[in-house]
Amino acid sequence: QVQLVESGGGVVQPGRSLRLSCAASGFTFRSFVIHWVRQTPGKGLEWVTVMSSDGRYIHYADSVKGRFTISRDNSKSTLYLQMNSLRAEDTAVYYCVREVNYDSGSGSYYDYWGQGTLVTVTS
Amino acid sequence: SSELTQDPVVSVALGQTVRITCQGDTLRTFSVNWYQQKPGQAPIFVIYDKNKRPSGIPDRFSGSSSRNTASLTITGAQAEDEADYYCHSRDSSGAKHLFGGGTKLTVL
């Protein structure tokens, strides 16, 4: 079965760095676009970043652009999120999610989510 | 900037019908998906591409969209439908994704 397992979260001081990993299994990882989505405790979902299946296109939310870097190793079926210059407002549960296209090909949705890893930025 | 707006809180009596809405200019161009999230769990998709229901989701869940407003309707709400619901679409560029602020549904 499809599984996405995030790791690497923890408590970190403002200005420091952290790298999250998302280990995928149960599907052909290299064929899928994968995203990071975060959720501040008790609040809503925020899209963070996306990387295409071949790594050729990447987009970031304005709130993390220039500080976060997404990457993937298809040989290891793993997605990464390098987070630098962390701020208190980056405190959240970070989910990796798999994107699939509509049958019509005109859009997409998230069909599988990991359980998330908590990042807490505090002094 | 692009954004999707949802009512923060909605309530419905057990067995009644409730509509949860999502408004945004980008919905005129891009389709919408809906996710349900229960406490301590990751979201699951309940409607995709405006009105398509995945297998395993009860047929009391339906979706629609017109102009700049998308709706998730639960016909005959059950206690287990109490959850947070999020709409999801794209920003005006189509490259970035957006979520609505979420609607907390209470079943009375």
Side-chain angles (χ1 to χ4, degrees):
Chain A
Q1 73 280 22
V2 172
Q3 280 197 307
L4 298 165
V5 179
E6 303 92 339
S7 60
V11 179
V12 62
Q13 292 179 327
R16 303 298 289 264
S17 299
L18 207 59
R19 189 174 87 152
L20 306 183
S21 299
C22 169
S25 60
F27 66 101
T28 305
F29 180 76
R30 63 179 178 272
S31 298
F32 286 84
V33 176
I34 308 289
H35 299 242
W36 288 100
V37 172
R38 68 185 181 183
Q39 185 168 33
T40 304
K43 295 195 177 177
L45 301 171
E46 180 188 11
W47 176 80
V48 176
T49 181
V50 58
M51 175 173 266
S52 61
S53 56
D54 59 6
R56 292 172 68 179
Y57 82 74
I58 295 171
H59 296 283
Y60 296 98
D62 291 345
S63 58
V64 306
K65 196 168 187 178
R67 300 187 299 121
F68 288 13
T69 302
I70 190 173
S71 61
R72 63 193 293 163
D73 185 340
N74 285 341
S75 69
K76 296 181 179 178
S77 296
T78 302
L79 182 77
Y80 302 100
L81 184 65
Q82 177 67 42
M83 304 185 295
N84 297 334
S85 303
L86 282 161
R87 306 167 180 168
E89 54 265 37
D90 296 319
T91 294
V93 173
Y94 286 74
Y95 295 101
C96 66
V97 296
R98 190 177 83 164
E99 175 186 309
V100 292
N101 289 327
Y102 297 151
D103 295 339
S104 64
S106 64
S108 61
Y109 62 102
Y110 303 139
D111 66 342
Y112 284 95
W113 297 61
Q115 282 304 303
T117 186
L118 176 62
V119 173
T120 303
V121 184
T122 180
S123 53
Chain B
S1 63
S2 306
E3 59 181 31
L4 299 175
T5 302
Q6 297 181 240
D7 291 328
V9 178
V10 171
S11 61
V12 61
L14 184 67
Q16 295 303 300
T17 296
V18 62
R19 177 175 295 176
I20 297 169
T21 61
C22 173
Q23 288 191 305
D25 285 341
T26 62
L27 298 183
R28 297 177 186 274
T29 305
F30 300 104
S31 193
V32 66
N33 311 305
W34 290 92
Y35 302 88
Q36 175 194 70
Q37 186 180 34
K38 295 183 178 179
Q41 298 181 16
I44 63 168
F45 69 111
V46 293
I47 293 290
Y48 67 100
D49 195 10
K50 300 180 193 177
N51 55 17
K52 295 178 175 59
R53 191 177 58 253
S55 60
I57 299 301
D59 61 6
R60 62 180 179 271
F61 287 86
S62 62
S64 63
S65 186
S66 177
R67 299 189 184 93
N68 72 331
T69 301
S71 299
L72 172 69
T73 300
I74 307 174
T75 303
Q78 301 300 302
E80 60 264 33
D81 299 334
E82 189 163 284
D84 295 327
Y85 292 86
Y86 296 90
C87 59
H88 162 229
S89 186
R90 304 289 184 107
D91 78 343
S92 56
S93 74
K96 300 182 182 183
H97 290 236
L98 283 177
F99 287 98
T103 297
K104 182 177 184 61
L105 176 67
T106 300
V107 179
L108 304 172

